[in-house]
Amino acid sequence: MTYENDNIFAKILRGEIPSHKLYEDADTFAFMDIMPRGDGHCLVIPKKPARNILDVEVDSLAAVARTTQKLARAVLRAFSADGVTVQQFNEPAGGQVVFHLHFHIIPRFEGVPLRPHTGDMEKPEILAANAEKIRAALEAV
Ligand code: AMP
């Protein structure tokens, strides 16, 4: 179980591929998930390389937890959601597909199930509009 520098989130952190950025501080970065399981589905990652929760340094994990709470509160406000699902997967058997630690944050609504994993990418204009709502909610705190 090693960290590979060419994973897609490492490339996003290095600015080699684009993302819909929501938030950044010294230790963490947050952006929209391109295959959302619900409107407003976003991801929080540490800047320091970590494959998943099994190898991450505890300070880096604490920073990710802080940013995850910030984003969870922001998406709740941004979408007037009834709740928020936070998910985190480790290793292929645990459901992990991208091997740079990340937390999923998904606004939830009473009676509305998560969308299935279809592999379809969301339209960039929808991701951009949802990102704008979340950034505005972050600024409103
Ligand atoms: P998992 O590793 O199972 O926790 O899931 C990885 C997540 O990353 C999935 O929800 C994907 O939709 C998402 N994803 C994959 N590539 C990108 C990308 N380039 N930008 C944003 N999200 C991505």
Side-chain angles (χ1 to χ4, degrees), residues 8-9 12 17-19 31-37 41 43 87-89 95-100 102 104 117:
I8 197 105
F9 294 168
I12 286 175
I17 61 167
S19 68
F31 56 106
M32 300 304 289
D33 192 301
I34 45 165
M35 292 172 261
R37 303 202 56 205
H41 181 172
L43 301 168
Q87 291 180 316
Q88 193 277 315
F89 305 109
Q96 186 175 13
V97 174
V98 177
F99 298 98
H100 181 112
H102 53 279
H104 297 259
H117 271 304

